[in-house]
Amino acid sequence: MTDSRLSVERADSRRIMLAHTLRKAPIFSGIRADALETLALGCSLRQVDKGGYLFHAGTAADGFFVVHAGAINVHRVTEDGREQVIRVFYPGESLGEVVIAGNHAYPASAKATENSQVILVPTEFFRARIKADPDLALCILASMSQHLRFLVETIEDLKLKQAESRVAQWLLRQLRSAGQDPDGVSAFDLPLAKHLLASQLGITSETLSRVFARLRAAELLAVEGKHLRFPDTAGLQAFLERAEA
Amino acid sequence: MTDSRLSVERADSRRIMLAHTLRKAPIFSGIRADALETLALGCSLRQVDKGGYLFHAGTAADGFFVVHAGAINVHRVTEDGREQVIRVFYPGESLGEVVIAGNHAYPASAKATENSQVILVPTEFFRARIKADPDLALCILASMSQHLRFLVETIEDLKLKQAESRVAQWLLRQLRSAGQDPDGVSAFDLPLAKHLLASQLGITSETLSRVFARLRAAELLAVEGKHLRFPDTAGLQAFLERAEA
DNA sequence: TCGAATGGTTGACCGGGGTCAAGAAACCAG
DNA sequence: CTGGTTTCTTGACCCCGGTCAACCATTCGA
């Protein structure tokens, strides 16, 4: 029965791969390795091509997701078709945990902005796992807290700050999370298309272009395609503090 | 030892009162009565005068709160002093659950907009209770999911809808949640000052005034101080659908 | 190799809503 | 009633940023 042996091996390596990805996800950082492997047994890997949807706002919930590769754009769409990006998720990050509580649908839509792989953690399966291991509930709680903080800050920014501040702030945050020295010359590559960044910041791509142009004129930024260099991060910081408000 | 007996009786009646309020809070709707009374033992009632703060953004977390009476305004303040209301909470609603996960501070500030009483559920105590009764974690999860949905919708509204739509939408929601027949003549009293409502909707009080004036001109609304009457709710609904975008 | 599609930049225009300022109205305490 | 707050309304003005449109720069499939 070579066939059956083969499929067992495949299932096994798949489980190990899933568990490996789950372990790298911050949401499960507090979970023991064996518990994670058990969890991985109920999960599945989904391939989503660029532009493909993981789910639509208002549709029934399969479960929540952990990004394995690629990038997932979570957004709302109005009746007349305009989009507001809520946030873009990258490998290791989790989204849609909101469906674990209650039988509600997703509050937003999610689509891949590049070819992606995501791990689906099915709602019912995960709920059952929570009963066995209540720590899992705390994982979700912690992750949702993070999301909540992010959303609260976003709301403040959207109404209380202008386009320039939001862009400068975002740039400085990226610099920091890229681990660069905050007061030296540094640079990074944009992880998403500019029009998506614009939407996430609540502005149009035209406005983003103009802000970049102004920062370039002030010699605080150099743009080469997706590659951004910052000749004067301290100056950018000062610019932000001046523009703040 | 009349003194001690008295204090026991006081503590007893206080516990019963707290448990009673907690039972009415949607967040604990799934919890058994005896478990709630145990929970009430670790909680305390706080009086907050109008204008007084429950907590400030960034400060260490005591725990989360359930509103017993009054109204609590959760908001963010920028460095230059401007405020953005995130949401106003009324009796039965809970806020600050975000501090249950992790040792982080509150993401926003909360102050009473009228003399209020709130129940404090201390972080450490509640965490201990979760271990004894994991269902409590699910309560928090459900409540945070609600908040998350609310925030996501707020973000969409702030960027994608105009002042008129937001006001009309808010009015119609209030009408519905006031349990009024949605297609008859109806009315309600504003539960908060107009400038607060304006801030929650992400506009200035001047703009709110102007929107009210326009609705009045269209004979969709009559304003008498805090009392709002709606001679034509169907018309208001139509107005919203027209203005949506 | 050449369109066609996609993404980005720039300019001209304009409108929603913010700001400032002056009243009006409501709400007190004396 | 009266003077002082606080809250709300209305008008005049103007600026940020959205929209529309033209124009590059890349990428990609045929």
Side-chain angles (χ1 to χ4, degrees):
Chain A
M1 280 201 170
T2 1
D3 252 331
S4 131
R5 269 214 60 198
L6 259 180
S7 97
V8 165
E9 267 172 21
R10 268 215 311 274
D12 220 51
S13 74
R14 203 197 53 152
R15 196 196 69 205
I16 288 171
M17 190 278 258
L18 287 181
H20 183 70
T21 297
L22 292 181
R23 188 171 311 126
K24 281 190 307 189
I27 187 178
F28 293 127
S29 61
I31 298 300
R32 290 212 325 281
D34 58 336
L36 263 191
E37 290 195 11
T38 313
L39 187 65
L41 286 176
C43 301
S44 57
L45 191 68
R46 278 198 190 177
Q47 173 76 36
V48 192
D49 290 336
K50 178 173 178 172
Y53 272 84
L54 264 75
F55 51 79
H56 292 271
T59 57
D62 299 328
F64 72 93
F65 296 88
V66 176
V67 181
H68 175 243
I72 306 297
N73 162 20
V74 172
H75 60 282
R76 297 267 295 193
V77 187
T78 52
E79 289 159 16
D80 60 330
R82 287 176 304 150
E83 288 191 6
Q84 168 68 40
V85 176
I86 306 291
R87 178 168 169 179
V88 180
F89 291 87
Y90 296 102
E93 298 179 318
S94 49
L95 58 133
E97 301 93 334
V98 77
V99 304
I100 293 302
N103 341 330
H104 298 292
Y106 295 104
S109 306
K111 72 177 168 196
T113 60
E114 25 182 303
N115 294 336
S116 304
Q117 280 151 24
V118 297
I119 299 173
L120 167 65
V121 188
T123 308
E124 286 310 329
F125 171 74
F126 191 79
R127 283 198 193 138
R129 294 300 312 152
I130 285 184
K131 297 225 187 297
D133 184 358
D135 281 353
L136 283 175
L138 296 181
C139 291
I140 298 290
L141 220 60
S143 181
M144 278 183 40
S145 294
Q146 290 284 102
H147 292 169
L148 223 135
R149 282 167 205 283
F150 180 87
L151 294 180
V152 165
E153 277 175 18
T154 301
I155 288 176
E156 176 185 355
D157 289 357
L158 285 183
K159 282 320 286 190
L160 262 31
K161 301 201 177 142
Q162 353 224 88
E164 280 191 357
S165 307
R166 296 213 289 277
V167 173
Q169 192 170 33
W170 190 88
L171 292 173
L172 284 167
R173 274 195 198 149
Q174 288 302 113
L175 274 175
R176 276 192 214 102
S177 72
Q180 301 283 354
D181 188 63
D183 38 29
V185 175
S186 45
F188 67 88
D189 285 346
L190 279 178
L192 36 52
K194 285 178 188 162
H195 71 97
L196 272 177
L197 171 57
S199 177
Q200 180 168 357
L201 294 173
I203 58 181
T204 60
S205 45
E206 292 96 323
T207 299
L208 181 62
S209 268
R210 281 186 255 267
V211 172
F212 275 0
R214 263 173 272 160
L215 289 176
R216 230 170 24 205
E219 296 185 347
L220 296 171
L221 171 67
V223 185
E224 293 145 8
K226 280 192 160 354
H227 187 70
L228 306 183
R229 284 186 308 105
F230 300 83
D232 180 10
T233 50
L236 186 57
Q237 182 70 48
F239 174 87
L240 173 60
E241 271 148 29
R242 213 166 338 109
E244 195 106 339
Chain B
M1 289 225 165
T2 0
D3 253 331
S4 131
R5 268 215 62 198
L6 259 181
S7 97
V8 165
E9 267 173 20
R10 269 215 308 273
D12 220 51
S13 74
R14 204 198 51 151
R15 194 196 71 203
I16 288 171
M17 189 280 258
L18 287 182
H20 183 70
T21 297
L22 292 181
R23 189 170 311 126
K24 282 190 306 188
I27 187 177
F28 292 127
S29 61
I31 298 300
R32 289 211 327 279
D34 57 337
L36 262 191
E37 290 196 11
T38 313
L39 187 64
L41 285 175
C43 302
S44 57
L45 191 67
R46 278 197 189 178
Q47 173 77 35
V48 192
D49 290 337
K50 176 173 177 169
Y53 271 84
L54 264 74
F55 52 79
H56 292 269
T59 57
D62 298 329
F64 72 95
F65 296 88
V66 176
V67 182
H68 176 241
I72 306 298
N73 163 18
V74 171
H75 60 282
R76 297 268 295 193
V77 187
T78 51
E79 288 158 18
D80 60 329
R82 287 175 306 148
E83 288 189 7
Q84 167 67 40
V85 176
I86 306 290
R87 177 167 170 181
V88 180
F89 291 88
Y90 297 102
E93 298 180 318
S94 48
L95 57 133
E97 301 93 332
V98 78
V99 304
I100 291 302
N103 339 332
H104 298 292
Y106 295 104
S109 306
K111 73 177 167 195
T113 60
E114 25 183 304
N115 294 335
S116 304
Q117 280 151 24
V118 298
I119 298 174
L120 167 65
V121 188
T123 308
E124 286 310 330
F125 171 74
F126 191 79
R127 284 201 192 136
R129 293 301 310 150
I130 284 183
K131 296 226 186 298
D133 184 358
D135 281 352
L136 284 174
L138 297 181
C139 290
I140 298 290
L141 220 61
S143 182
M144 279 184 40
S145 294
Q146 290 285 104
H147 292 169
L148 226 133
R149 282 166 205 282
F150 179 87
L151 295 180
V152 166
E153 276 176 21
T154 301
I155 288 176
E156 177 185 356
D157 288 357
L158 285 182
K159 283 318 285 189
L160 262 31
K161 300 200 177 145
Q162 353 225 81
E164 281 193 356
S165 306
R166 298 213 289 276
V167 174
Q169 192 170 36
W170 190 88
L171 291 174
L172 284 167
R173 273 195 199 150
Q174 287 303 111
L175 274 174
R176 277 192 212 103
S177 73
Q180 301 283 355
D181 188 63
D183 39 28
V185 176
S186 48
F188 68 89
D189 286 347
L190 277 179
L192 35 50
K194 285 179 188 160
H195 72 97
L196 272 178
L197 171 57
S199 176
Q200 181 169 358
L201 295 174
I203 58 182
T204 60
S205 44
E206 292 97 321
T207 298
L208 180 62
S209 268
R210 282 185 254 267
V211 171
F212 274 0
R214 263 173 271 161
L215 290 176
R216 230 170 25 205
E219 296 186 345
L220 296 170
L221 170 68
V223 185
E224 292 144 9
K226 278 191 159 358
H227 187 70
L228 307 183
R229 285 185 308 104
F230 300 84
D232 180 9
T233 49
L236 185 58
Q237 182 69 50
F239 174 87
L240 172 60
E241 272 149 28
R242 213 168 336 110
E244 197 106 338

